[in-house]
Amino acid sequence: MRKKFTLFILSLLCSISVSMAQELNVKGEVKDEKGLPLPGVSVKIKGSTKGAMTAGNGKYTLTAAGNATLVFSFIGYKTIEQAVNNNTTVNVNLSEDNNELNEVVVIGYGTTTKKDLTTAVTTISSKDLKNQPITNPLQAVQGRAAGVQVTAESGKPGAEIAISIRGNTSITASNSPLYVIDGVTSRNAGFLNPNDIESLTILKDASAAAIYGSSGANGVVLITTKKGVSGKVKVEFNAFTGISNFWRKQDVLSADQYIGLMKELGYTTFGDGSNTDWQKETFGTGTQNQYQVSLSGGGNGGNFYLSTGYQRDKGIVAPAELDRYTVNFNGSQAATSWLKFTATAALTARNSIDVSDNAGVARGGTILSALTTPSTIGIYNPNGSYTTIPNSGGWDNPIAQAFGAKNKTKNLRFIGSLGGEIKFTKDLIFKSTISTNINKNDYNYDLDAFKTTYGRQEGGIYRNNRTDDNVWLNENILTYTKNVGKNAFSATGGYTLQASDYQYTDYEENRFYNPQTGVKNDKPVIVPKVPQRAQWAKQSYLTRVTYAFDSKYLFSANFRADGSSRFSDEQRFGYFPSASAGWRISGENFLKDSKTINDLKIRGSWGKVGNDEGIGDYAWRKLYQENAQGDYNLTNLKNTGLSWETTTQSNIGLDLTMFNNRVTFTADAYLKKTNDLLIKVQLPPTSGFAEQAYNVGSMENKGMEFTLSTKNIEREKFSWSTDMNISFNKNKVTSLGASTPSLDFGGIYSRTSAVRVVEGRPLGSFYGFEYTGVDQKTGLATYADLNGDNKIDETDRTFIGSAQPDFIYGMTNNFSYGNFGLNLFFQGVQGNQMFNASRIDLEGLYDSKNQSAAVLDRWTPENTNTNIPRAVKGNTDNSRTSSRFVENASYLRLKTATLSYNFGEAFLGRMKMSKLTVFATGYNILTFTKYKGLDPEVSQYGANGPNMGVDYGTYPQSRSFLLGVNVGF
């Protein structure tokens, strides 16, 4: 009897075990603490790779054993585990995880969690990019990432953005970071639609960027676009419309004041008696419109995201305009349990109309022409041609500068990739991708033969140039991950091949009409041009090893070897190692139970990266250039010793979270040294060559960065949070070599250059005469006689200022009350100066251009106590490149202010929507600055090179106001 009972119990246990092991169809719903559904939550069966994602309504379905445990995880929420217990319905509610330490962060060729980072990395999320009137997603980075200086080079539609990560590391080579868009490398990312971006991760220190080797010398920006999640197809529509104008204008002389000045200079003609407000005629109101529709979803082992967008930006200075069309696709599909395919594609087509800037009226600059054209003339002459400034010899008015020539550009950008991923085991994964980056540009310039002075001189001009740039990349990456107990180990190895093919063709014809007679010629004159083609290739090997014990002791090491065709066989390969380590002090027993400190980690890193950009693709070779006559001219001498520019960086950092995760603080200090600078050395005229690339000199950047995030108020209906960052960087050229005492940049028309690079000073150092005021007896400008020889000449020039800021900063405040939201974002730069070359035209007092109202205080026999020289016809000595035109360019901007309203669940349910947000945004609303020009930020020559900080009629940024809507179904 006992045996039978024992057998019965064993049989019962076996049957229960079998029952528990049976597969069940489990379904359920995942909600947040407020009872709202959460889409995109990962639902995995513990101990396996099987799982599902919640749909837009928060629901999921999967097949699991009756005794299985489900793991529910979602970024920003605490991960929970729930046993199935033979239930076919498992519903859960997730609570917010305020510390966000488990947030996934994208790094080079992989991901990690925020808590395990040992390098200096900053992430910008999609919420920082939305609801802004920007055509370039990199504009949204400005002021939001410590150590990253973002500057608009111009305010016109579609203008480029300059980014410097922890200062400039090169002089004439590239200072721009590498962009990696869903694994596709690019030297530009401004063509992307900001609404398609999920996150931007900025790798700032060398240990983080060294995995990209030679391409990461100036930092790396990893851009991840949006992806679909399993469930029903999700449809979203985003749109805004708005207007823009210049936030500042300049006071210039009225008609009577101008005529008085002209008489003082000895002119006898002053115009046709008109009274034209040229700033009103030239600077109008711009309009901005953007629309985007996206579809996303997934199921059966795959997901997709597809969007299309259109943006039109009509500039404040007509006819400047940008029309942009974008299409973006991101998808993946599992073919088997061990094989998955991925594909990405981003297509951007841009049509733009340009307006000339960065020049004075004599050189065709529209912005300065609007300020220096006198009001005493109208727009047109009686014969229909544009008017010119009196007594100038043919300087056209600003409307002629803007409309006289047609400047049109068509640009097509495509980046795309195809990849396959093989999962040999759950720990060992191999991924291979091939990608392409195509840039096609078509520029057309057409100058009327009659309406403008230059057009009449040339009998009309037509120019066309075309650029075709194609870069392909093949990457093969093997990753191994193993977690045993408290030990977490991963290893990554890879091999990449990359090549580029660049082609440029230029065409020009003129003399459609005879300039002397105005009679149409039988055929135009074709200007001989020589097409250009260049190619480069790279071969790379990379590896990374990471190890963590108990999430307390963290270690990572990288190594990459890059071979570049831009160097000779002897110098082809560069080797770039790095290492980093971290100690989570809060994981130790003496801090585990702390009620104040939630997380505390210190980290340190060291690494070396390289640079081969900015010198041309054949700089080491002996080169000949075909001329228009079919002959060949020697243009470059052979230099087999040309090699990698290398940057070595050390970083130490601290991450701290306190007070129940309501305060997060990060601090970093770094030292960054660049050696063997790739410099296009300016050769003496006797050499027969203008310049040649050499490894010359070194540079240093050192600085500190601080980031603070606080949750000030968290209540049921009201919340307030603040994010702040501030960065300090000191740049210095430590050597230019024995044979290069200095390099000059920042040329000013009819004056000496404004910028000089020398050992011991930072890039962007202004160089000129030291202005000491006005001689009260003669009214002429006086300058410091620094060498004491009683005369003012070139030997008296000195350093007169710097474009390098002392620090940059940003602050964001987010408020919410019920369904209302308010975001205020301030951004600023402090301690930098600008060389305001526009004032040379506006206060020069030597020709017939109109002048700034400031010259009303100029020296006269009745007004001798002044700082503005007298008017002297044809005399440019009073307006030399000097400290007179160096100004404080520090500024603080209310960059964006957004007021939004999110409709509630009841309304959305009735309308069958998942989201409806309406918003109003102001952009560049307020600017506080002592700078006298139109904009303290823009730069004629680019903002991250040696000639930064020169403003010479540069198109300023605008102030925008817009209304928009975000809809989801």
Side-chain angles (χ1 to χ4, degrees):
M1 184 68 182
R2 182 178 296 176
K3 290 183 179 179
K4 291 181 180 180
F5 180 76
T6 302
L7 289 174
F8 171 76
I9 294 298
L10 289 174
S11 300
L12 181 61
L13 290 174
C14 289
S15 64
I16 293 174
S17 175
V18 171
S19 175
M20 292 288 288
Q22 286 180 346
E23 296 287 310
L24 301 175
N25 291 321
V26 181
K27 62 181 180 178
E29 186 174 4
V30 181
K31 298 180 179 180
D32 63 13
E33 293 172 295
K34 298 178 181 179
L36 299 178
L38 284 175
V41 176
S42 171
V43 186
K44 287 190 175 181
I45 300 172
K46 188 175 182 179
S48 77
T49 58
K50 293 176 61 179
M53 301 279 280
T54 60
N57 57 5
K59 295 182 179 180
Y60 72 94
T61 59
L62 54 73
T63 302
N67 61 349
T69 298
L70 303 184
V71 180
F72 298 83
S73 61
F74 190 53
I75 293 176
Y77 289 81
K78 294 180 180 179
T79 299
I80 66 171
E81 297 182 0
Q82 183 70 45
V84 174
N85 286 334
N86 270 349
N87 294 312
T88 56
T89 300
V90 179
N91 299 322
V92 298
N93 289 74
L94 297 185
S95 59
E96 291 189 13
D97 185 3
N98 291 325
N99 62 28
E100 298 179 354
L101 293 177
N102 291 315
E103 178 181 340
V104 175
V105 177
V106 179
I107 58 174
Y109 301 103
T111 60
T112 187
T113 57
K114 194 172 183 179
K115 67 178 182 180
D116 290 337
L117 276 173
T118 55
T119 56
V121 172
T122 298
T123 298
I124 307 296
S125 68
S126 57
K127 64 181 174 63
D128 296 315
L129 286 84
K130 65 182 182 180
N131 305 340
Q132 295 188 48
I134 56 177
T135 56
N136 190 324
L138 304 176
Q139 290 172 264
V141 178
Q142 187 177 40
R144 289 187 167 92
V148 182
Q149 184 170 8
V150 180
T151 308
E153 298 185 359
S154 170
K156 55 187 172 182
E160 291 297 323
I161 300 296
I163 290 188
S164 297
I165 299 176
R166 293 185 166 180
N168 299 328
T169 58
S170 189
I171 296 179
T172 57
S174 173
N175 277 306
S176 297
L178 173 73
Y179 301 95
V180 183
I181 306 164
D182 289 328
V184 184
T185 60
S186 177
R187 281 295 168 187
N188 182 282
F191 56 91
L192 294 175
N193 188 329
N195 288 317
D196 289 327
I197 295 177
E198 182 65 33
S199 67
L200 296 97
T201 301
I202 303 168
L203 311 182
K204 295 187 292 186
D205 68 0
S207 182
I211 194 72
Y212 290 101
S214 65
S215 301
N218 302 299
V220 180
V221 180
L222 304 178
I223 298 177
T224 303
T225 62
K226 294 179 179 178
K227 298 176 175 64
V229 296
S230 299
K232 293 182 179 179
V233 173
K234 185 178 180 181
V235 181
E236 289 193 358
F237 172 72
N238 304 302
F240 66 69
T241 183
I243 60 172
S244 56
N245 54 35
F246 286 156
W247 64 277
R248 169 186 278 184
K249 292 186 178 181
Q250 297 275 286
D251 290 330
V252 296
L253 299 181
S254 67
D256 291 340
Q257 292 166 344
Y258 171 77
I259 291 172
L261 174 61
M262 292 302 101
K263 289 179 178 178
E264 193 175 321
L265 286 168
Y267 293 107
T268 57
T269 57
F270 316 111
D272 58 16
S274 299
N275 188 16
T276 307
D277 185 341
W278 288 109
Q279 292 187 72
K280 183 178 180 181
E281 295 291 337
T282 310
F283 305 154
T285 300
T287 60
Q288 295 165 305
N289 295 278
Q290 178 176 294
Y291 312 94
Q292 190 217 29
V293 177
S294 66
L295 291 87
S296 62
N300 297 322
N303 62 69
F304 73 92
Y305 173 88
L306 176 66
S307 78
T308 181
Y310 170 70
Q311 182 163 2
R312 187 178 194 187
D313 188 350
K314 296 186 71 173
I316 292 167
V317 181
E321 182 178 307
L322 173 70
D323 285 282
R324 185 174 72 172
Y325 306 83
T326 61
V327 177
N328 190 81
F329 173 78
N330 195 329
S332 67
Q333 180 63 54
T336 67
S337 60
W338 52 269
L339 178 62
K340 182 173 74 172
F341 295 101
T342 59
T344 65
L347 176 67
T348 302
R350 292 168 33 131
N351 298 320
S352 61
I353 300 175
D354 191 20
V355 167
S356 61
D357 64 343
N358 291 326
V361 59
R363 308 296 292 174
T366 303
I367 304 301
L368 261 182
S369 180
L371 305 178
T372 57
T373 300
S375 61
T376 56
I377 60 174
I379 298 175
Y380 297 101
N381 292 310
N383 62 1
S385 63
Y386 291 109
T387 60
T388 59
I389 294 179
N391 310 299
S392 67
W395 296 343
D396 291 329
N397 70 59
I399 304 303
Q401 309 284 14
F403 288 92
K406 296 177 180 178
N407 289 278
K408 295 184 177 181
T409 302
K410 293 182 178 180
N411 180 263
L412 182 69
R413 291 296 303 265
F414 174 79
I415 61 169
S417 67
L418 289 172
E421 182 178 293
I422 300 175
K423 187 179 292 186
F424 295 108
T425 68
K426 66 183 182 67
D427 301 322
L428 184 63
I429 299 174
F430 174 75
K431 185 175 182 180
S432 180
T433 60
I434 186 165
S435 62
T436 185
N437 188 337
I438 298 173
N439 182 12
K440 294 180 179 292
N441 203 72
D442 189 347
Y443 170 74
N444 285 278
Y445 173 90
D446 194 352
L447 181 64
D448 186 272
F450 170 70
K451 288 187 175 182
T452 66
T453 302
Y454 186 54
R456 291 189 294 273
Q457 292 174 355
E458 298 296 317
I461 299 175
Y462 172 75
R463 296 178 184 141
N464 170 267
N465 62 62
R466 296 183 179 182
T467 302
D468 192 346
D469 190 11
N470 183 10
V471 180
W472 64 263
L473 170 67
N474 173 231
E475 295 184 321
N476 304 277
I477 308 296
L478 184 65
T479 302
Y480 177 75
T481 304
K482 190 67 176 178
N483 297 330
V484 179
K486 295 182 178 182
N487 300 276
F489 171 82
S490 71
T492 300
Y495 173 71
T496 75
L497 283 172
Q498 189 175 22
S500 168
D501 188 2
Y502 171 89
Q503 298 182 61
Y504 176 82
T505 58
D506 196 8
Y507 179 82
E508 179 178 340
E509 55 186 24
N510 54 35
R511 298 295 195 274
F512 295 94
Y513 290 83
N514 186 302
Q516 284 73 41
T517 64
V519 177
K520 186 174 183 179
N521 292 325
D522 292 335
K523 58 182 181 179
V525 174
I526 298 177
V527 181
K529 301 284 185 178
V530 178
Q532 302 175 27
R533 187 173 187 181
Q535 297 174 315
W536 58 262
K538 289 182 183 179
Q539 182 183 32
S540 306
Y541 305 86
L542 63 96
T543 183
R544 175 174 59 217
V545 175
T546 67
Y547 173 74
F549 177 76
D550 199 19
S551 287
K552 289 191 296 186
Y553 311 114
L554 314 169
F555 174 78
S556 177
N558 301 285
F559 181 79
R560 178 158 175 152
D562 277 322
S564 172
S565 65
R566 292 183 173 128
F567 304 115
S568 65
D569 292 343
E570 296 87 346
Q571 308 292 340
R572 183 143 295 172
F573 270 88
Y575 303 96
F576 309 108
S578 73
S580 62
W583 175 28
R584 173 164 289 102
I585 305 174
S586 56
E588 301 293 350
N589 291 331
F590 58 83
L591 274 182
K592 266 189 175 181
D593 298 324
S594 173
K595 295 181 179 180
T596 303
I597 296 176
N598 304 110
D599 189 74
L600 174 61
K601 178 178 63 180
I602 58 173
R603 47 188 166 75
S605 66
W606 174 91
K608 179 183 289 188
V609 288
N611 192 2
D612 66 343
E613 298 281 342
I615 57 171
D617 296 328
Y618 308 107
W620 71 274
R621 296 180 181 272
K622 188 175 185 180
L623 299 176
Y624 293 87
Q625 176 70 50
E626 184 181 2
N627 58 34
Q629 289 73 39
D631 299 325
Y632 290 88
N633 299 326
L634 180 63
T635 58
N636 196 75
L637 298 174
K638 190 173 184 178
N639 180 11
T640 57
L642 193 67
S643 184
W644 295 91
E645 178 180 290
T646 58
T647 299
T648 303
Q649 184 178 173
S650 302
N651 187 95
I652 185 168
L654 177 145
D655 300 320
L656 173 65
T657 303
M658 303 175 67
F659 306 123
N660 197 25
N661 303 307
R662 293 184 63 173
V663 176
T664 302
F665 175 74
T666 299
D668 281 277
Y670 60 88
L671 177 61
K672 191 173 173 183
K673 294 185 177 182
T674 305
N675 295 308
D676 298 323
L677 292 172
L678 288 171
I679 297 179
K680 291 182 179 179
V681 177
Q682 300 160 357
L683 301 179
T686 54
S687 69
F689 303 93
E691 58 186 17
Q692 173 103 27
Y694 290 99
N695 292 104
V696 175
S698 57
M699 191 183 305
E700 177 184 279
N701 287 275
K702 56 184 177 181
M704 300 185 72
E705 304 164 358
F706 302 95
T707 300
L708 177 66
S709 298
T710 60
K711 292 172 177 154
N712 308 312
I713 299 175
E714 289 184 304
R715 295 178 181 171
E716 184 177 352
K717 288 189 175 182
F718 178 71
S719 66
W720 170 31
S721 64
T722 302
D723 297 301
M724 297 179 286
N725 69 83
I726 187 169
S727 309
F728 303 84
N729 182 76
K730 293 295 182 182
N731 171 271
K732 183 172 69 175
V733 177
T734 52
S735 172
L736 282 178
S739 60
T740 309
S742 65
L743 297 167
D744 287 340
F745 299 93
I748 307 296
Y749 179 62
S750 298
R751 307 294 193 285
T752 56
S753 297
V755 177
R756 174 162 288 187
V757 177
V758 298
E759 181 180 322
R761 288 191 174 268
L763 296 184
S765 295
F766 301 130
Y767 192 75
F769 296 97
E770 186 179 317
Y771 183 68
T772 56
V774 174
D775 187 323
Q776 291 191 0
K777 295 181 179 179
T778 64
L780 299 178
T782 59
Y783 303 95
D785 180 14
L786 298 181
N787 61 5
D789 61 358
N790 295 319
K791 63 179 181 179
I792 302 299
D793 56 23
E794 291 300 300
T795 60
D796 293 307
R797 296 171 71 199
T798 186
F799 288 96
I800 53 177
S802 173
Q804 295 279 355
D806 292 332
F807 59 88
I808 59 176
Y809 59 99
M811 181 174 69
T812 303
N813 280 285
N814 284 294
F815 303 89
S816 68
Y817 180 77
N819 292 340
F820 286 95
L822 176 64
N823 174 280
L824 299 175
F825 170 51
F826 291 87
Q827 173 263 330
V829 178
Q830 186 66 34
N832 62 310
Q833 294 170 300
M834 180 83 77
F835 189 86
N836 190 348
S838 299
R839 287 177 53 204
I840 292 178
D841 273 18
L842 283 166
E843 300 177 24
L845 292 167
Y846 62 91
D847 58 15
S848 62
K849 295 191 292 289
N850 198 13
Q851 301 288 278
S852 164
V855 305
L856 293 173
D857 191 36
R858 65 187 178 275
W859 186 96
T860 63
E862 296 77 26
N863 182 35
T864 60
N865 186 21
T866 180
N867 202 40
I868 298 179
R870 66 182 295 182
V872 183
K873 186 177 180 180
N875 183 356
T876 60
D877 287 343
N878 283 342
S879 55
R880 295 182 177 186
T881 302
S882 72
S883 58
R884 176 186 172 191
F885 305 111
V886 176
E887 298 184 30
N888 181 353
S890 302
Y891 70 87
L892 168 63
R893 270 194 167 129
L894 176 53
K895 196 69 177 180
T896 61
T898 300
L899 178 65
S900 61
Y901 181 81
N902 297 288
F903 284 83
E905 195 69 24
F907 176 84
L908 295 176
R910 290 196 303 270
M911 302 300 294
K912 297 184 178 180
M913 295 179 177
S914 61
K915 177 179 67 174
L916 175 58
T917 302
V918 294
F919 63 89
T921 295
Y923 189 74
N924 285 336
I925 302 173
L926 297 172
T927 301
F928 306 93
T929 184
K930 294 181 180 179
Y931 183 62
K932 298 177 182 177
L934 291 173
D935 191 346
E937 183 179 342
V938 295
S939 184
Q940 177 187 7
Y941 294 105
N944 66 349
N947 45 15
M948 65 180 77
V950 177
D951 178 7
Y952 189 35
T954 307
Y955 194 123
Q957 293 186 90
S958 61
R959 176 175 50 191
S960 303
F961 302 93
L962 59 90
L963 297 172
V965 61
N966 299 324
V967 183
F969 298 93

